[in-house]
């Protein structure tokens, strides 16, 4: 079955630094990968999508890379701020599976001022 | 635009009781989903509906039933609640154009004693 691994330990960084979160997967050939942000007590909110034929995607301070050979995505937040503190989830999707998403467990990011 | 709404926000049940979680979306999406989220396990798909009139099992369907009442509404029913169903439940709808992003409701925190 498909398996997605994200850093199980929380990532603690200093304000202004770049946060890098990892998403690794096995037994899956996704057509696309998404990143979501989840704040405590709320539902996830979509951030970015990257397709299998794209190496990198940027949106403001966010950058996502997708390496289908390594079966890995990296999610970067540059110039991090305390407001970036949240749980970040990666999700894989494919039209082959009817666009149902498979989610990782998420990584908690804490940005300290 | 309310997006995705869920009721109730909180619920406490005794073992064996039944209840229905309600979900509605106003974005005219065909696809809707029910997930449960448990600590350390991420979002797991319970049931989904690719379009009005169709429903299919996800990863963890046992103990649940669903109804796609119309294009807007997708309900989740627990016929005989068990402590193992204590969780946070999220409903989502999905845009199939562009980013395939899922829009999540605020969640229902269910405790079964």
């Amino acid at each position: 079955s498909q398996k997605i691994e994200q850093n199980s330990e929380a990532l603690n960084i200093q304000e202004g630094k770049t946060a890098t979160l990892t998403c690794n997967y096995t037994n899956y050939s996704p057509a696309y990968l998404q990143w979501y942000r989840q704040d405590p007590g709320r539902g996830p909110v979509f951030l970015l999508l990257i397709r299998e034929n794209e190496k990198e995607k940027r949106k403001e301070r966010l950058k996502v890379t997708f390496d289908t050979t390594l079966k890995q995505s990296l999610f970067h937040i540059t110039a991090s701020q305390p407001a970036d503190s949240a749980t970040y989830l990666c999700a894989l999707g494919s039209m082959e599976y009817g666009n149902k998403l498979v989610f990782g467990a998420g990584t908690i990011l804490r940005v300290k001022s | 635009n309310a997006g995705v709404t869920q009721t109730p926000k909180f619920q406490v049940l005794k073992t064996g009781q039944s209840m229905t979680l309600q979900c509605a979306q106003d974005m005219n999406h065909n696809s809707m989903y029910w997930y449960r989220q448990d600590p350390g396990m991420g979002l797991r798909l319970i049931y989904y509906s690719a379009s009005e009139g169709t429903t299919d099992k996800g990863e963890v369907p046992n103990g649940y039933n669903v109804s796609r009442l119309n294009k807007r509404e997708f309900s989740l029913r627990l016929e005989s609640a068990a402590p193992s169903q204590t969780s946070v439940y999220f409903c989502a709808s999905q845009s199939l154009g562009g980013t395939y992003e899922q829009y999540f409701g605020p969640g229902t925190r269910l405790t079964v004693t």
Side-chain angles (χ1 to χ4, degrees):
Chain A
S1 62
Q2 306 107 348
K3 189 173 179 183
I4 302 176
E5 290 186 351
Q6 296 186 249
N7 312 60
S8 57
E9 292 183 13
L11 180 63
N12 296 296
I13 65 166
Q14 201 65 32
E15 182 177 8
K17 301 291 187 185
T18 296
T20 299
L21 284 67
T22 305
C23 176
N24 295 299
Y25 61 93
T26 57
N27 298 329
Y28 200 86
S29 295
Y32 54 88
L33 185 148
Q34 299 176 335
W35 283 89
Y36 288 78
R37 170 185 173 138
Q38 186 174 23
D39 292 290
R42 294 180 176 270
V45 175
F46 172 82
L47 295 173
L48 277 171
L49 170 139
I50 186 165
R51 298 179 193 276
E52 60 178 335
N53 60 350
E54 297 173 318
K55 296 287 187 191
E56 182 179 297
K57 209 70 166 292
R58 290 175 186 260
K59 179 182 176 182
E60 297 171 353
R61 294 185 296 112
L62 308 179
K63 184 178 88 170
V64 174
T65 63
F66 193 11
D67 189 325
T68 55
T69 301
L70 290 179
K71 294 186 183 293
Q72 181 181 78
S73 174
L74 299 179
F75 177 78
H76 307 272
I77 305 175
T78 58
S80 59
Q81 304 164 1
D84 295 326
S85 299
T87 298
Y88 291 86
L89 309 172
C90 71
L92 306 180
S94 170
M95 283 172 278
E96 179 183 359
Y97 295 99
N99 288 307
K100 298 192 302 292
L101 297 178
V102 181
F103 281 87
T107 298
I108 297 171
L109 173 66
R110 299 192 190 103
V111 182
K112 301 186 179 180
S113 56
Chain B
N1 259 8
V4 179
T5 57
Q6 287 183 240
T7 55
K9 284 191 167 31
F10 300 93
Q11 184 72 48
V12 179
L13 292 178
K14 294 187 189 307
T15 297
Q17 287 184 318
S18 62
M19 78 162 296
T20 299
L21 282 65
Q22 307 286 354
C23 173
Q25 53 95 5
D26 62 1
M27 294 170 283
N28 204 35
H29 291 159
N30 284 319
S31 299
M32 296 185 73
Y33 303 83
W34 275 105
Y35 296 93
R36 60 177 290 172
Q37 187 173 40
D38 302 293
M41 300 194 72
L43 290 160
R44 291 185 292 168
L45 183 64
I46 305 171
Y47 269 93
Y48 67 100
S49 171
S51 62
E52 184 179 352
T54 68
T55 61
D56 280 293
K57 296 178 181 179
E59 182 186 353
V60 289
N62 291 346
Y64 305 95
N65 283 303
V66 290
S67 295
R68 183 73 183 267
L69 304 169
N70 48 54
K71 193 169 186 179
R72 290 187 65 248
E73 298 170 289
F74 188 37
S75 62
L76 178 72
R77 182 159 179 84
L78 287 70
E79 291 290 351
S80 179
S84 61
Q85 294 178 304
T86 293
S87 187
V88 181
Y89 291 84
F90 288 102
C91 176
S93 68
Q94 186 174 31
S95 163
L96 293 184
T99 60
Y100 303 102
E101 69 179 279
Q102 291 195 2
Y103 296 80
F104 285 82
T108 295
R109 187 172 294 273
L110 174 68
T111 302
V112 183
T113 61

